[in-house]
């Protein structure tokens, strides 16, 4: 049986800023690592005004991030929405209807910056969060 892998795997630490090298398309999943306490990984995502999107983050793997914390940021990096435990267990989920078409950022981290470990994130169209196997769960 073949492995189902995320669409994107963080190979070098993602910048915690608008300068991030990583982009995630709607419908894709990514896997990354919060390398140290206080680390955040940002992913650029393009959204269309009037469309509703859901973003999800969950701890994955043998060194799983224990309590995810997810932010959605605007093109300048300002926080639009945040979530701590909106998914199953201690995972996170944000549903957002874009007010403008353009670049936004998904900011993956840990609650209160108190843990490190592997996580999976997803970006989907609609109101249903995606916590599936391709995130590395």
């Amino acid at each position: 049986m073949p492995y189902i892998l995320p669409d994107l795997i963080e190979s070098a630490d993602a910048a915690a800023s608008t300068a991030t090298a990583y982009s995630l398309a709607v419908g894709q999943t990514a896997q990354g690592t919060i390398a140290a306490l206080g680390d955040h990984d940002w992913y650029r995502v393009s959204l269309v005004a009037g469309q509703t999107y859901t973003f999800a983050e969950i701890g994955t793997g043998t060194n799983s991030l224990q309590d995810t914390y997810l932010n959605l940021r605007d093109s300048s990096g300002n926080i639009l929405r945040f979530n701590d435990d909106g998914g199953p267990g201690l995972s996170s989920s944000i549903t957002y209807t874009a007010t403008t078409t353009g670049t936004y950022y998904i900011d993956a981290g840990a609650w209160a910056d108190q843990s490190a470990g592997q996580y999976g994130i997803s970006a989907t169209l609609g109101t249903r969060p995606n916590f599936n196997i391709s995130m590395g769960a």
Side-chain angles (χ1 to χ4, degrees):
M1 178 176 197
Y3 289 102
I4 300 172
L5 298 173
D7 298 296
L8 173 67
I9 297 176
E10 177 192 32
S11 56
D13 191 36
S17 72
T18 58
T20 185
Y22 293 98
S23 294
L24 189 65
V26 174
Q28 288 188 322
T29 59
Q31 185 180 77
T33 301
I34 299 301
L37 301 183
D39 184 24
H40 285 251
D41 293 340
W42 289 23
Y43 296 83
R44 184 177 299 105
V45 62
S46 295
L47 305 182
V48 176
Q51 294 288 322
T52 300
Y53 302 89
T54 301
F55 309 96
E57 179 186 14
I58 192 169
T60 63
T62 57
N63 184 26
S64 176
L65 186 61
Q66 296 303 305
D67 190 355
T68 64
Y69 194 89
L70 189 62
N71 292 301
L72 176 65
R73 296 176 178 268
D74 67 14
S75 62
S76 298
N78 301 305
I79 295 174
L80 297 171
R81 298 280 188 282
F82 60 89
N83 184 263
D84 181 19
D85 296 332
L90 298 176
S91 60
S92 305
S93 177
I94 295 172
T95 298
Y96 177 74
T97 300
T99 56
T100 59
T101 296
T103 300
Y104 293 77
Y105 297 89
I106 304 166
D107 169 0
W111 180 80
D113 294 331
Q114 294 182 359
S115 65
Q118 185 177 303
Y119 65 86
I121 61 169
S122 66
T124 56
L125 187 60
T127 60
R128 184 175 179 182
N130 176 13
F131 293 102
N132 73 21
I133 195 74
S134 65
M135 292 168 73

